Amino acid sequence: MFALHFVRGMHPEHFQENEWDTFTGVVVGDMLRKADSQQRIRDQLPSWVDQERSWAVATLKIALPSLYQTLCFEDADLWRTYYHHSMCEQEFPSVLAKKVSLFQQVLVVQALRPDRLQSAMALFACRTLGLKELSPLPLNLKRLYKETLEIEPILIIISPGADPSQELQELANAERSGECYHQIAMGQGQADLAIQMLKECAHNGDWLCLKNLHLVVSWLPILEKELNTLQPKDTFRLWLTAEVHPNFTPILLQSSLKITYESPPGLKKNLMRTYESWTPEQISKNGNLHRANALFSFAWFHAACQERRNYIPQGWTKFYEFSLSDLRAGYNIIDRLFDGTKDVQWEFVHGLLENAVYGGRIDNCFDLRVLQSYLKQFFNSSVIDVLNEMNKKSIFPYSLSLPKSCSILEYRAVIEKLPEDDKPSFFGLPANIARSSQRMISSQVISQLRILGRAVTAGCKFDREIWSNELSPVLNLWKKLNQNSNLIHQKVSPPNDRQGSPILSFIVLEQFNAIRLVQSVHQSLAALSKVIRGTTLLSSEVQKLASALLNQKCPLTWQSKWEGPEDPLQYLRGLVSRALAIQSWVERAEKQALLSDTLDLSELFHPDTFLNALRQETARAMGCSVDSLKFVASWKGRLQEAKLQIKVSGLCLEGCSFDGNRLSENQHDSPSVSSVLPCFMGWIPQGVYGPYSPEDCISLPVYTSAERDRVVTNVDLPCGGNQDQWIQCGAALFLKNQ
């Protein structure tokens, strides 16, 4: 991220007019004119461009017409290899390479293959800066020791779960005797001991490591005073570790050499850290081989939970703080499991790890389902049947043979044989997970670049010139979005309390709230525009609005009325596109033609409420309670058991593929997101069989967006059994991006 920002600052000549704004999503393309339906835009593009990428390519065409003309997208043969290549950023058509700049090539990747955008950005930065790679050199604690003075503390800023103390101990053993190294884990009651050890180590020329200073930020001024009075020997070194904390004392920060430390990624490194933290006695206790094998299985489970966080939101929907405390708690559970008992109670392990340890951090029911699947996989009788030659099926997603002894060295040797780079199968994830991961990371990077691009002083106080420059993209976009519609002037009255159709009542209310929100946003932006033009005074409301927009955040007053995208530009586009679309829904509903049309739920602000209205209307038509109905979907054709049903299009699938008959695994070169065929949805009585057998189905969530923030509903898809496979691969549906 910072490399790209750095390149733009050092080499502005690589960026032509509108290119950076197009890349960061700031440029205003007149994309949502009423006459420009999606189908019309799609018809203007070459047929080889997928439906999902049509809007992105159309944006490129409108924002950068000369570049689009140069690219000759009409020549399908020219682009076919590039479009389907697994590393397309390195395979740009040679006949165009001299006509298209390096950054323009990044723009092409963004439009056609966002699943390779992260790699394309890194390649562009390397080529422009003349570097082989962007990754920094690995942290060398020995070099730090040689190049620092005894009076300069070394502050190691750690990420959650990272701990450099083992490396510091090894460095002390190599450079000094191990007896010269001392460490204290800071916390309640350790302050006096820390000061005492600081004085002794400075006097004797020893090393001291004070760990986890973020837990004692109020005590740090006392530490500063002691450091100012020290007169240490030249062999003295003070190592400090802390996680990022907003109240960390700035004086200590300024006086210290600051470095960041993150645990090396990967399941192999994670397992090795665990086995380096355990002693030989912890593994060989009572000479119980079953216990030693169970500990290895637990270590793999812990590593899988932690490393799966590298694939958010498909691995986990968010970052969960699985930490060393979970590792210690899990070890104690396994230890107690084999403490003098013959029968191993695996349900005991499942219950504690799910409800009290790892699962206690998880607040998404579909993430909890992944955890439950892991628990079933790694904690069952197969763990202790490893010596049984008849048990050929391994619980581990990699071919390995566990030791037939309790030696910790033999377990470490098994870990050493694992590959350095993680395979997606280690976590049950699909082979193309890297494509989904790049897509999400690139989106986050672009959001951060927009924030970095704003003026440093923006938002601190009113400055007409800065506000005008920084907020003009928002104001211009809003003006263009409303050019060909009467939303901001449309007169609406609160809907009547209808006793008729719940669906019609919902849609009329949805339209009313949509227009009110559009007009509310318009009033707030109009007030902001007047302040910038100097025709009205700055109020606290306008100040709050401007502050949020200048920080690339959606104002809370908007989000309170509709929880849309966090990015203001995306929020405004989504707001107007839905407000326009809902007009058509009202017209069709009033003509009683809505349920006979194919519907796109992404056009609604509250698609979950619409499905509930369908449930209420179905219950009325059937003369039963809403609680006696269950939601089903069918790709076989119409639902025979449903009194009312809708045909839904616009669903996207991530994590696997679906041809309308059953789910299938994604391959390495499969697209990260695929469109799903239209299906019929409806509500049927609980006791009636749906279109698919429950044993052959997997229930997948339908999210409002690829970020997986809000669930609309759950849908059963035929999978042919083996539900754990589809749970672990992170399969999910979501509504297409408006």
Side-chain angles (χ1 to χ4, degrees), residues 275-556:
Y275 270 82
E276 285 172 352
S277 70
W278 286 345
T279 64
E281 293 74 25
Q282 284 179 287
I283 304 300
S284 62
K285 181 179 177 181
N286 299 329
N288 190 331
L289 180 58
H290 291 163
R291 176 182 175 279
N293 287 336
L295 283 174
F296 184 85
S297 187
F298 168 64
W300 189 293
F301 163 80
H302 176 77
C305 287
Q306 286 195 323
E307 299 305 316
R308 195 177 171 97
R309 297 179 302 194
N310 294 320
Y311 304 100
I312 294 171
Q314 191 172 338
W316 302 110
T317 58
K318 63 178 69 173
F319 189 93
Y320 294 115
E321 294 282 357
F322 303 128
S323 64
L324 290 173
S325 62
D326 299 316
L327 184 68
R328 285 193 291 267
Y331 173 88
N332 291 333
I333 291 170
I334 300 296
D335 187 42
R336 187 180 303 177
L337 187 70
F338 289 90
D339 191 10
T341 59
K342 291 185 179 180
D343 295 329
V344 179
Q345 302 294 322
W346 294 112
E347 296 81 5
F348 168 77
V349 180
H350 293 182
L352 286 176
L353 293 182
E354 178 185 336
N355 298 308
V357 189
Y358 293 85
R361 303 182 184 277
I362 295 175
D363 57 8
N364 179 294
C365 62
F366 298 101
D367 285 342
L368 189 62
R369 199 167 61 163
V370 172
L371 183 75
Q372 291 165 342
S373 178
Y374 275 170
L375 290 172
K376 284 194 297 180
Q377 176 181 346
F378 293 113
F379 303 105
N380 57 66
S381 58
S382 299
V383 175
I384 58 177
D385 286 346
V386 70
L387 295 180
N388 185 350
E389 294 300 326
M390 298 298 292
N391 178 35
K392 296 295 184 183
K393 186 177 180 181
S394 172
I395 65 170
F396 303 106
Y398 187 76
S399 178
L400 51 83
S401 299
L402 292 185
K404 297 183 179 180
S405 78
C406 297
S407 167
I408 193 172
L409 296 178
E410 291 194 29
Y411 282 96
R412 288 175 180 171
V414 169
I415 297 170
E416 284 291 354
K417 293 179 182 177
L418 292 171
E420 293 292 335
D421 296 327
D422 287 340
K423 298 178 182 296
S425 59
F426 284 0
F427 316 107
L429 291 167
N432 70 338
I433 184 64
R435 300 180 75 163
S436 298
S437 182
Q438 282 215 26
R439 189 183 186 118
M440 194 56 61
I441 291 172
S442 301
S443 176
Q444 294 167 355
V445 166
I446 290 172
S447 296
Q448 291 296 316
L449 286 171
R450 279 201 296 271
I451 295 174
L452 286 173
R454 67 182 181 85
V456 176
T457 56
C460 299
K461 58 183 180 179
F462 176 62
D463 184 303
R464 180 170 286 109
E465 184 177 354
I466 291 176
W467 281 29
S468 177
N469 291 334
E470 298 291 333
L471 297 175
S472 60
V474 176
L475 297 174
N476 289 341
L477 173 63
W478 185 247
K479 182 179 178 181
K480 280 186 172 288
L481 290 174
N482 289 283
Q483 266 182 355
N484 296 290
S485 76
N486 65 338
L487 291 173
I488 58 177
H489 303 297
Q490 193 168 335
K491 301 293 184 183
V492 288
S493 55
N496 297 322
D497 185 16
R498 297 171 182 262
Q499 300 299 317
S501 163
I503 291 177
L504 182 57
S505 297
F506 161 76
I507 293 172
V508 171
L509 181 61
E510 186 90 333
Q511 180 196 35
F512 172 74
N513 289 331
I515 293 172
R516 277 213 314 180
L517 178 54
V518 167
Q519 293 176 355
S520 173
V521 168
H522 181 70
Q523 289 172 2
S524 62
L525 290 179
L528 176 61
S529 178
K530 289 177 181 177
V531 169
I532 293 174
R533 295 199 311 269
T535 59
T536 189
L537 295 176
L538 177 64
S539 65
S540 60
E541 290 79 11
V542 172
Q543 176 72 56
K544 289 177 183 177
L545 173 72
S547 179
L549 295 176
L550 288 166
N551 286 287
Q552 303 295 326
K553 293 181 179 178
C554 193
L556 292 176

Side-chain angles (χ1 to χ4, degrees), residues 183-198 208-220 222-223 238-242 248:
Q183 63 180 21
I184 299 175
M186 299 304 296
Q188 192 171 7
Q190 298 297 308
D192 292 340
L193 176 61
I195 296 298
Q196 179 188 337
M197 288 298 301
L198 177 66
L208 175 63
C209 178
L210 300 180
K211 300 165 60 176
N212 301 326
L213 292 186
H214 58 281
L215 301 178
V216 290
V217 289
S218 60
W219 171 77
L220 295 182
I222 298 174
L223 176 62
L238 177 61
W239 305 85
L240 309 171
T241 74
F248 202 92

Side-chain angles (χ1 to χ4, degrees), residues 154-175:
I154 302 172
L155 175 59
I156 304 176
I157 303 169
I158 58 175
S159 57
D163 186 2
S165 56
Q166 182 70 27
E167 290 185 44
L168 286 172
Q169 179 72 68
E170 293 172 358
L171 177 63
N173 293 339
E175 296 296 323

